[in-house]
């Protein structure tokens, strides 16, 4: 006896006419032997002339469709290669809307109808076939069972079937789709589901979030609507508040809203609805509790789409208890993570290590996790909204502290391994690892500095990143964490000694000698009291560093010599190299004949242990040594060699130093315009990491001498233009220009990236308002802060950018705005 799920053998027409769309090309997905359209009674209508109009039940769009050009193009292409296309993705990303737009665009290729079946309210899989029969308007008085009636109806029709919201009926949908595709060779199916159906021949298209601007550095107002999220917000806002237009006053807030909501169309539409009662800035401030704010939606929408929480509740309820547990625990991650990290954090009650891979795999299948990465190690992440939902579930389960402590332990061990293995051939790999894991490291730091009894661990974690921070820059952020940790953990310990000298070292590099001296005094006193050999060695080196920065070379040399001996005794190879480097620099600046030998020892030590990032500093030191002795050609060769090692973008401080001294040597060679451009590139490099210019008193003297020489040679106007050209170079363009002077500066115009700056988000707001000609008081009113606070922001912003006047900052801000406009053009194309 045949089951209703078994396709019956139904004779097929032998007609061979080929259906084409309105552009004359073969219809999407049309088989090789299509039949001419035959008017049918069910669901279709005819024109007066007897030709069939588009049949089906495709609903009309009631709001504008925004973006998704790339996804629509990929989907149309997929339908030429497959008969089953499944759109997957997390709830609220617009899978249904994309499927409906796709169906609308290709409906001319399906003369027998484009049919949409909403399965969101169907709870019982046994009712699936009957639901499809009803949606297709098939005569239900037939004696055939629903599945048989479906097969009989679709067998010789060329139709498109859109099965919307399949995830909760996955097995039933897979069985129905498999049977229909086998029985109806001209049928094509588009499914939307948070999980693949698992049918042979299924093609998957993951629906990503809409493109959103970076709120830390948003584009100019004119470029904002290049981002799909901004366009969606503005269009929905216009429907809520007639005549709404995006203004400069709301630009930063709207960028923040779109970013905070992960580019989720549902969330953005719900946020825009709040404009009835709130301003964009108020909406952004309330998004700290995004589920509380976005709990009202369209009352006529399906319940799971009425609020953001309901959409995610729907996904959570479809997960098994193990998957729900994994979701909650994986929310402890602040960014991407790999399987090893997931195992370390998730293992515990309810989940064994052997189960983690399966849980991660199923969460990827259900669009809770997004898989990133190419052919290397797979990495995973959650949308921030999904992560916050999981964090709430973790908190409700009373497991947040335990899981976050496991997360902290994993990354603390990772950072400790990187620090102990830093001076090795794996230096570059460790740098890449730490940069990749930075979001999780900062998440671990935040836990340490907010949870009770965890501040000591935070002190150790923050200070262990010093090698990475020194090489990579980002000194202001490093000092932020160190400052918080030192304030919370005040007891005497070796961890505090380390944090003091690390923060003091960074303070001197930032030009903050007052704080640096305070840190030195406490560090030396505490190390002496503890008597720990390693602490004493670092306190001694810190003293030599401070003396070096203050040009007290007579004091610096013996302190650094003793520190080097102490580091040798403790066996700390990286500390030995740093002490040797500082000692060689001291001798170099005092023209001590031992300088060249010591600089060569620095380089030899790097080469022995194959430490590439440290090697760039040794080459800079040798270049400086040659330049101080008038050996310009040798200096240029060494400095260019050092600069090549920094081209990967790892060693930002080393790049700034090489560019600076290379400018001095180039100036003495008589190539004044080239040298001035290098000075501008060096300035941008320093600003990107927040380093003082250029650190040591003697070096600052040489910088001033070089600037005066170039102004005399070029004239003020030509000099300023050349420096400005260097400032506008990107990091890679600056390296190319330094290594090959024939690189055209003009090549950067219109294509350069906006220069990275050390400004905070608030300081960027301040400089943009300053560029509009606003006073401190007016800036304060715009940002709802006190005039004194605004004045402080202005002064810090000027110091970070190396400017002495508001006019300079305003000019810089206008140039940044133009660079943003150009660099966002490609990135922000709709659908990206």
């Amino acid at each position: 006896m045949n089951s209703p799920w078994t396709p019956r053998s139904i004779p097929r027409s032998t007609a061979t006419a080929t259906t084409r769309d309105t552009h004359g090309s073969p219809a999407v997905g049309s088989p090789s032997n299509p039949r001419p359209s035959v008017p049918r009674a069910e669901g279709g209508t005819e024109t007066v002339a007897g030709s069939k109009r588009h049949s089906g039940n495709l609903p009309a769009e009631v709001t504008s469709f925004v973006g998704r050009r790339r996804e629509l193009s990929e989907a149309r292409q997929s339908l030429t290669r497959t008969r089953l296309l499944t759109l997957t993705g997390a709830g609220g990303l617009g899978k249904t809307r994309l499927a409906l737009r796709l169906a609308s665009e290709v409906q001319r290729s399906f003369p027998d109808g484009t049919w949409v079946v909403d399965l969101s309210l169907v709870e019982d899989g046994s009712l699936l076939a009957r639901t499809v029969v009803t949606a297709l308007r098939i005569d239900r008085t037939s004696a055939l069972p629903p599945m048989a009636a479906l097969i009989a109806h679709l067998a010789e029709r060329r139709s498109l079937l859109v099965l919307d919201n399949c995830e909760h009926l996955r097995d039933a949908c897979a069985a129905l789709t498999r049977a229909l595709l086998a029985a109806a060779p001209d049928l094509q199916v588009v499914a939307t589901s948070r999980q693949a159906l698992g049918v042979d021949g299924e093609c998957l298209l993951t629906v990503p979030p809409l493109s959103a601007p970076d709120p830390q550095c948003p584009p100019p107002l004119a470029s904002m609507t290049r981002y799909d999220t901004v366009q969606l917000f503005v269009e929905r806002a216009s429907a809520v508040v007639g005549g709404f237009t995006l203004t400069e006053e709301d630009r930063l807030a709207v960028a923040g809203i779109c970013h905070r909501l992960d580019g989720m169309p549902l969330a953005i539409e719900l946020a825009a609805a709040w404009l009835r009662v709130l301003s964009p800035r108020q909406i952004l401030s309330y998004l700290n509790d995004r589920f509380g704010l976005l709990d009202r939606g369209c009352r006529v929408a399906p319940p799971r789409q009425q609020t953001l929480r309901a959409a995610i509740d729907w996904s959570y309820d479809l997960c098994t208890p193990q998957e729900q547990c994994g979701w909650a625990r994986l929310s402890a991650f602040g960014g991407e993570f790999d399987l090893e990290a997931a195992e370390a954090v998730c293992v515990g009650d309810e989940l064994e290590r052997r189960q983690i891979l399966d849980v991660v795999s199923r969460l990827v299948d259900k669009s809770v996790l997004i898989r990133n990465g190419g052919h290397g190690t797979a990495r995973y992440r959650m949308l921030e909204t999904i992560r916050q939902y999981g964090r709430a579930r973790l908190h409700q389960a009373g497991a947040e502290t335990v899981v976050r402590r496991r997360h902290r332990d994993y990354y603390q061990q990772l950072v400790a391994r990187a620090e102990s293995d830093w001076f090795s051939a794996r230096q570059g790999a460790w740098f890449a690892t730490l940069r990749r894991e930075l979001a999780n490291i900062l998440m671990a730091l935040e836990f340490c500095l907010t949870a009770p009894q965890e501040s000591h661990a935070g002190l150790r974690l923050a200070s262990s990143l010093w090698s990475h921070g020194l090489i990579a820059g980002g000194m202001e952020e490093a000092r932020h964490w160190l400052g918080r940790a030192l304030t919370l953990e005040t007891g005497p310990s070796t961890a505090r000694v380390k944090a003091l000298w690390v923060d003091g070292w960074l303070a001197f590099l930032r030009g903050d000698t007052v704080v640096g001296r305070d840190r030195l005094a406490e560090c030396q006193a505490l190390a002496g009291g503890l008597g720990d050999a390693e602490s004493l060695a670092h306190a001694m080196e810190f003293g030599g560093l401070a003396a070096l920065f203050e040009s007290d070379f007579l004091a610096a040399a013996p302190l650094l010599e003793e520190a080097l001996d102490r580091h040798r005794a403790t066996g700390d190879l990286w500390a030995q190299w740093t002490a040797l480097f500082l000692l060689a620099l001291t001798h170099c600046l005092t023209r001590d004949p031992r300088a060249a030998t010591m600089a060569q020892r620095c380089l030899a030590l790097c080469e022995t242990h194959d430490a590439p990032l440290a090697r760039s500093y040794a080459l800079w030191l040798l270049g400086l040594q040659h330049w101080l002795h008038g050996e310009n050609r040798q200096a240029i060769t060494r400095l260019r060699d050092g600069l090549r090692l920094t081209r990967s973008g790892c060693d930002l401080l080393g790049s700034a130093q090489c560019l600076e001294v290379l400018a001095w040597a180039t100036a003495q060679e008589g190539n004044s315009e080239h040298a001035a451009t290098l000075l501008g590139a060096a300035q941008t490099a320093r600003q990107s990491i927040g380093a003082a210019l250029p650190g040591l008193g003697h070096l600052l003297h040489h910088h001033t001498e070089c600037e005066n020489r170039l102004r005399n040679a070029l004239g003020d106007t030509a000099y300023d233009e050349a420096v400005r050209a260097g400032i506008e170079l990107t990091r890679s363009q600056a390296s190319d220009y330094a290594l090959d002077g024939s690189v055209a500066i003009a090549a950067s115009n219109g294509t350069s990236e906006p220069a990275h700056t050390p400004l905070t988000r608030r300081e960027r707001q301040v400089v943009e308002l300053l560029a509009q000609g606003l006073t401190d008081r007016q800036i304060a009113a715009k940002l709802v802060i006190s005039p004194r606070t605004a004045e402080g922001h202005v002064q810090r912003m000027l110091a970070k950018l190396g400017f002495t006047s508001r006019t300079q900052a305003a000019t810089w801000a206008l140039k940044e705005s133009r660079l943003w406009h150009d660099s966002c053009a490609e990135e922000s194309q709709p659908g990206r």
Side-chain angles (χ1 to χ4, degrees):
M1 179 176 178
N2 287 335
S3 163
W5 293 94
T6 304
R8 297 187 179 185
S9 177
I10 300 176
R12 298 188 55 198
S13 167
T14 58
T16 58
T18 300
T19 302
R20 294 181 176 268
D21 65 18
T22 55
H23 300 285
S25 58
V28 173
S30 58
S32 59
N33 59 341
R35 296 163 303 287
S37 174
V38 179
R40 306 182 190 278
E42 305 87 13
T45 59
E46 295 183 21
T47 64
V48 175
S51 63
K52 188 174 179 60
R53 291 191 302 204
H54 302 305
S55 62
N57 64 347
L58 193 63
E61 292 182 338
V62 295
T63 58
S64 59
F65 184 85
V66 175
R68 298 297 192 197
R69 292 182 185 177
R70 181 177 61 81
E71 289 82 4
L72 279 170
S73 176
E74 288 184 12
R76 287 178 64 102
Q77 287 296 318
S78 295
L79 284 178
T80 67
R81 301 188 300 269
T82 185
R83 296 177 59 210
L84 171 59
L85 172 64
T86 302
L87 307 181
T88 64
L93 285 178
K95 298 183 295 295
T96 296
R97 192 66 190 274
L98 178 60
L100 294 179
R101 170 51 70 101
L102 172 65
S104 175
E105 290 190 358
V106 303
Q107 63 179 333
R108 295 171 189 258
S109 300
F110 298 95
D112 295 309
T114 300
W115 303 92
V116 180
V117 186
D118 182 6
L119 304 177
S120 61
L121 299 180
V122 181
E123 300 292 341
D124 187 347
S126 65
L127 301 177
L128 177 61
R130 186 175 300 279
T131 302
V132 180
V133 165
T134 301
L136 268 61
R137 304 170 190 165
I138 298 174
D139 183 4
R140 286 184 288 177
T141 63
S142 169
L144 291 174
M147 190 65 198
L150 268 179
I151 290 174
H153 178 81
L154 294 171
E156 296 197 21
R157 285 175 165 84
R158 181 156 57 255
S159 303
L160 177 67
L161 184 62
V162 179
L163 298 177
D164 191 27
N165 307 305
C166 298
E167 52 272 340
H168 62 303
L169 302 171
R170 178 173 177 260
D171 292 341
C173 286
L176 178 138
T177 302
R178 191 178 293 113
L180 291 182
L181 291 175
D186 290 338
L187 173 71
Q188 288 185 265
V189 177
V190 173
T192 72
S193 176
R194 302 181 194 188
Q195 185 175 10
L197 299 186
V199 175
D200 289 345
E202 178 182 27
C203 179
L204 299 180
L205 176 60
T206 300
V207 179
L210 295 175
S211 59
D214 180 356
Q216 298 298 324
C217 190
L221 182 63
S223 299
M224 283 285 285
T225 53
R226 293 176 182 269
Y227 291 92
D228 294 339
T229 47
V230 177
Q231 184 183 350
L232 178 63
F233 183 90
V234 170
E235 292 195 13
R236 298 303 183 261
S238 298
V240 172
V241 181
F244 176 87
T245 57
L246 184 61
T247 65
E248 183 62 35
E249 184 177 2
D250 294 329
R251 179 174 63 96
L252 294 174
V254 171
I257 291 169
C258 294
H259 180 81
R260 291 284 301 278
L261 294 178
D262 299 308
M264 297 178 71
L266 172 62
I268 290 167
E269 291 186 339
L270 294 173
W274 276 97
L275 284 173
R276 295 187 185 97
V277 293
L278 299 174
S279 71
R281 279 193 287 178
Q282 288 175 310
I283 292 173
L284 179 59
S285 66
Y286 276 105
L287 283 180
N288 289 326
D289 178 20
R290 67 186 67 192
F291 294 111
L293 179 68
L294 308 181
D295 63 352
R296 295 192 309 181
C298 177
R299 295 181 180 178
V300 299
R304 62 177 184 79
Q305 291 181 344
Q306 288 184 10
T307 71
L308 185 62
R309 185 187 298 277
I312 303 178
D313 279 340
W314 172 269
S315 290
Y316 187 81
D317 292 340
L318 292 174
C319 292
T320 66
Q322 284 186 335
E323 292 165 0
Q324 291 175 349
C325 179
W327 181 343
R329 292 179 182 179
L330 291 171
S331 71
F333 290 97
E336 291 185 5
F337 56 91
D338 58 20
L339 185 61
E340 177 186 327
E343 290 174 344
V345 172
C346 289
V347 168
D349 296 339
E350 302 179 56
L351 286 177
E352 300 177 8
R353 185 173 296 274
R354 61 181 178 82
Q355 298 173 305
I356 305 303
L357 174 59
D358 185 51
V359 168
V360 167
S361 175
R362 283 183 276 152
L363 289 176
V364 171
D365 287 343
K366 293 185 176 180
S367 303
V368 175
L369 290 178
I370 299 172
R371 181 193 182 278
N372 289 342
H375 301 292
T377 302
R379 293 177 66 78
Y380 313 92
R381 68 180 177 91
M382 287 181 181
L383 295 178
E384 179 63 17
T385 302
I386 301 295
R387 190 186 70 81
Q388 286 200 13
Y389 181 92
R391 179 65 62 83
R393 291 285 186 173
L394 189 66
H395 180 75
Q396 291 170 8
E400 184 174 10
T401 299
V402 172
V403 172
R404 293 196 68 185
R405 186 177 290 120
R406 286 204 294 262
H407 174 272
R408 187 274 317 280
D409 290 345
Y410 177 82
Y411 285 101
Q412 189 165 49
Q413 292 165 12
L414 179 73
V415 169
R417 292 201 308 272
E419 185 179 29
S420 64
D421 194 34
W422 186 256
F423 196 70
S424 70
R426 292 167 295 281
Q427 196 171 56
W430 275 120
F431 181 91
T433 297
L434 293 178
R435 181 165 56 180
R436 186 170 58 243
E437 299 292 357
L438 183 59
N440 280 304
I441 293 169
L442 297 183
M443 182 69 72
L445 272 169
E446 185 64 36
F447 168 73
C448 291
L449 302 181
T450 54
Q453 285 82 50
E454 299 291 344
S455 57
H456 185 76
L459 197 65
R460 288 189 286 117
L461 180 56
S463 56
S464 293
L465 287 167
W466 85 275
S467 303
H468 171 266
L470 180 63
I471 297 264
M475 298 177 193
E476 183 178 20
E477 184 169 33
R479 294 200 61 212
H480 163 77
W481 293 104
L482 284 163
R484 286 180 61 184
L486 285 165
T487 299
L488 288 171
E489 186 66 20
T490 58
S493 65
T494 57
R496 184 168 180 83
V497 171
K498 183 176 182 180
L500 286 167
W501 68 257
V502 170
D503 188 54
W505 187 307
L506 296 177
F508 275 112
L509 284 172
R510 292 272 294 157
D512 193 350
T513 57
V514 174
V515 172
R517 272 288 171 188
D518 288 342
R519 295 298 196 219
L520 172 62
E522 184 181 353
C523 176
Q524 291 178 329
L526 187 55
L530 292 172
D532 174 71
E534 185 174 340
S535 297
L536 288 169
H538 280 295
M540 193 70 64
E541 182 179 355
F542 186 12
L545 173 80
L548 180 58
F549 266 88
E550 295 174 350
S551 300
D552 188 356
F553 303 117
L554 291 177
L559 288 170
L560 292 169
E561 287 173 352
E562 184 173 349
L564 179 59
D565 291 339
R566 288 176 179 269
H567 286 315
R568 285 176 178 147
T570 62
D572 188 336
L573 191 59
W574 176 231
Q576 288 179 48
W577 186 88
T578 59
L580 179 61
F581 172 84
L582 293 175
L583 182 58
L585 179 57
T586 301
H587 291 324
C588 178
L589 294 177
T590 56
R591 312 297 175 95
D592 189 303
R594 294 173 293 177
T597 301
M598 285 203 166
Q600 287 291 351
R601 284 173 57 192
C602 278
L603 182 61
L605 198 58
C606 295
E607 292 175 342
T608 298
H609 296 278
D610 197 16
L613 301 183
R615 189 168 183 266
S616 69
Y617 286 83
L619 288 167
W620 169 81
L621 180 58
L622 282 167
L624 178 63
Q625 168 74 10
H626 283 301
W627 179 77
L628 287 172
H629 285 79
E631 301 163 349
N632 282 340
R633 299 314 304 161
Q634 296 95 317
I636 289 172
T637 298
R638 289 296 195 179
L639 292 166
R640 285 178 172 173
D641 288 344
L643 193 60
R644 288 187 182 93
L645 293 175
T646 71
R647 295 190 71 180
S648 65
C650 294
D651 191 356
L652 304 183
L653 180 58
S655 176
Q657 290 182 322
C658 286
L659 286 169
E660 178 72 29
V661 181
L662 192 57
W664 305 347
T666 304
Q668 287 197 340
E669 289 290 296
N671 195 341
S672 301
E673 183 178 357
H674 187 76
T677 303
L678 290 175
L679 280 182
Q683 177 181 323
T684 296
R686 280 193 304 274
Q687 289 172 356
S688 71
I689 57 177
L693 168 67
L696 303 175
H698 266 50
L699 298 184
L700 179 58
H701 168 70
H702 293 308
H703 172 89
T704 303
E705 278 189 343
C706 179
E707 179 179 342
N708 292 336
R709 175 197 293 266
L710 294 176
R711 284 190 182 276
N712 290 333
L714 296 171
D716 289 343
T717 301
Y719 171 81
D720 290 339
E721 288 178 355
V723 170
R724 185 159 49 248
I727 289 173
E728 293 178 354
L729 291 175
T730 65
R731 190 178 305 148
S732 60
Q733 289 170 339
S735 294
D736 290 342
Y737 184 75
L739 297 173
D740 180 1
S742 65
V743 175
I745 296 297
S748 69
N749 295 338
T751 60
S752 64
E753 303 167 359
H756 295 283
T757 74
L759 300 187
T760 65
R761 175 175 174 271
R762 176 64 81 188
E763 287 163 351
R764 288 197 65 86
Q765 294 172 342
V766 168
V767 74
E768 287 167 1
L769 293 174
L770 187 148
Q772 298 174 29
L774 274 63
T775 65
D776 290 349
R777 186 170 296 278
Q778 291 170 325
I779 291 172
K782 281 279 188 181
L783 299 179
V784 195
I785 57 178
S786 71
R788 183 179 294 275
T789 300
E791 181 183 358
H793 283 312
V794 170
Q795 294 306 315
R796 283 190 295 274
M797 175 270 298
L798 291 173
K800 287 182 180 182
L801 296 178
F803 297 145
T804 58
S805 72
R806 299 164 70 94
T807 302
Q808 288 177 304
T811 302
W812 173 86
L814 291 173
K815 289 175 183 175
E816 283 280 286
S817 177
R818 288 197 296 273
L819 288 175
W820 252 116
H821 185 277
D822 294 335
S823 65
C824 289
E826 175 63 22
E827 174 190 348
S828 59
Q829 288 300 314
R832 285 179 65 96

